Structures are given as C-alpha cells and as structure tokens.
Amino acid sequence: MARVLTTETVHARERLEYWNEAVSDAYVRLTCDAPGRDVVGDIRVDSLATLELSRVTATAQHVRRTPSLIATAAEDYFLVSIQTEGVGAIVQDGRTAMLQPGDFALYDSTRPYELRFDSDFQQYVLMLPGPTLRSQLRTAPELTARGVNGSRGAGHLMIEMIRTLAADIGVLEPAAAAAVAQSVEHIVVAGLSSPPRTRPCRNPSWRRAASRSRHASVPGCATRASPSPPSQPGCTRR
C-alpha cells in the first residue's frame, strides 16, 4: 500500500519542518530550504521488492545531502530522478545535470549531492540498493549527475516502463513483484548505459541555464562558463 506524505493539512508555519521530515522519510537523510521558508507538496511512495518508486510534486526548494548527514546514517542507494514537470538540477561529483520533462539522471546517496528547483515541479524517483546497481553497472559511480534524454532509445523505454509501473504497482500480485523489480533494474541499467545524453553543466550559474532552456527554440540550454575560452561549452543539450 502506498504511503502519502503531504503538507495539505500542515499549518504554513510548520510546513518546511514537516517537509524536511517527509523527504528524509521517503528517501535518505536530507535537509531542505525553500523561498520564504515555506514549501507545499506531496510525496507518494510505493515499494516493489527491493525497489521504491515515488512521485514528488512540490514548490520551489533546494535539497542537500551533506557529509554530516551521510555520517549519521549508512544509507547506500542509487536514485534516479525522472523529470515530468518543471525544471530541476542535480549536482554531484563536480557535475550538474539540468533536467527538463522527459530527462533523467542518477545520483548516489553515499556521496554529497544537491537537488535544485526554482519553481513548481514533479518527478518520479526510483530508489535502488547501491550494491545491486554497482554489481550490474560497474561504471555507475561515473554516471552521477549526467543527464539522459529520455526521448528515444533505452532511456525512452525506461521512462515508459516507470510510468506504467507507477500506474499499476498497486495491483501487482506479490508473486510477480520480484520479477518486475528485476526487470526494472535491467531497463534502468540499459537506460543509463545508452545515449542520447545531455551534457553535464559545469557552469555554476545553473539558474541562467534553466531560464535559457525554457525560451530556446531547441529544447535545452547553451551557456558558456566565464572566464573560460569561448570554445568551451558550459551546458549543452543534445
């Protein structure tokens, strides 16, 4: 049965504190800040054997997984964020993946990361045990914060499978759950291993990249880091 964590009945003065507890309950230990120290949102969490699939819908916020939080709890997961609404950024290992609807990216709970959202957004988040993914995808630590375009190929198949699973997970027979979870793991590995990719953005002004991506005639962002030479791209979407 799904768990639903929502600010709907929480007083405005207490929403940010509640949301901090909610995101830490749904995922791993996290800290969250928000404009005006207020956030409105909900998280629906479903379990499938060793996997957890959630859908988070919320207002602007900045989420961090800090070294001190990592030290307090030995939580070893890989997470895959699939953007469905709004624009988001995942920052880890010196890289920034800008996500627009249909894009996804991987991040590792055993190392610091940040999730940044300037406005309302929605994501599916898939949580997989760290040892499981490392055993199937040896390059996993090198793939964090590298956006993947889910418009075609294995990435597209992964997104469609996640959407179907989110709709049907409540009616899956227990006997089928383990087999479906294994299939999800395999398609995630295929999606992360296959192009087309978005290029990670190393420009710290990620908000400008997000803003430009909304108004560009071709989806994505194209910024140049300063004071780098003009030929070096900061963030380019394919």
Side-chain angles (χ1 to χ4, degrees):
M1 183 175 177
R3 290 186 296 134
V4 179
L5 307 167
T6 179
T7 61
E8 185 176 359
T9 59
V10 180
H11 192 280
R13 289 194 304 259
E14 302 171 348
R15 280 198 292 247
L16 183 59
E17 180 181 357
Y18 172 84
W19 190 252
N20 271 273
E21 295 173 356
V23 294
S24 294
D25 181 27
Y27 306 111
V28 294
R29 291 287 303 278
L30 299 164
T31 182
C32 177
D33 295 317
R37 297 194 56 77
D38 189 20
V39 62
V40 176
D42 62 75
I43 306 171
R44 178 189 173 95
V45 185
D46 286 284
S47 296
L48 181 70
T50 59
L51 309 181
E52 285 198 350
L53 176 63
S54 61
R55 185 192 66 199
V56 53
T57 307
T59 53
Q61 57 192 271
H62 179 192
V63 181
R64 291 177 296 142
R65 173 81 164 155
T66 64
S68 60
L69 290 174
I70 293 170
T72 61
E75 300 163 308
D76 185 359
Y77 295 97
F78 280 100
L79 299 94
V80 180
S81 282
I82 304 163
Q83 198 77 19
T84 55
E85 295 178 14
V87 177
I90 296 174
V91 183
Q92 190 170 53
D93 298 328
R95 296 181 290 270
T96 300
M98 299 298 306
L99 301 183
Q100 296 188 73
D103 296 340
F104 62 92
L106 178 77
Y107 44 109
D108 183 347
S109 73
T110 65
R111 301 197 299 283
Y113 64 80
E114 298 180 29
L115 309 176
R116 300 170 175 172
F117 307 96
D118 261 359
S119 58
D120 296 0
F121 72 96
Q122 184 181 83
Q123 287 186 338
Y124 285 116
V125 181
L126 184 65
M127 250 172 72
L128 307 93
T132 299
L133 189 60
R134 289 187 195 95
S135 68
Q136 298 185 37
L137 187 63
R138 299 191 178 219
T139 58
E142 303 166 17
L143 298 177
T144 57
R146 295 186 186 274
V148 180
N149 186 326
S151 62
R152 57 189 185 277
H156 177 69
L157 291 175
M158 190 199 88
I159 288 178
E160 290 306 310
M161 185 174 191
I162 294 300
R163 284 176 175 158
T164 302
L165 180 61
D168 297 339
I169 196 169
V171 297
L172 275 176
E173 294 293 333
V180 172
Q182 189 173 49
S183 297
V184 171
E185 290 171 3
H186 290 162
I187 197 65
V188 166
V189 168
L192 291 169
S193 302
S194 304
R197 293 191 177 279
T198 65
R199 184 174 299 175
C201 177
R202 295 182 180 273
N203 188 335
S205 301
W206 65 275
R207 290 182 179 84
R208 291 199 298 270
S211 176
R212 292 177 190 179
S213 71
R214 294 190 192 100
H215 297 92
S217 58
V218 177
C221 61
T223 68
R224 299 185 184 277
S226 178
S228 301
S231 61
Q232 294 182 359
C235 173
T236 304
R237 215 188 128 113
R238 299 185 182 187

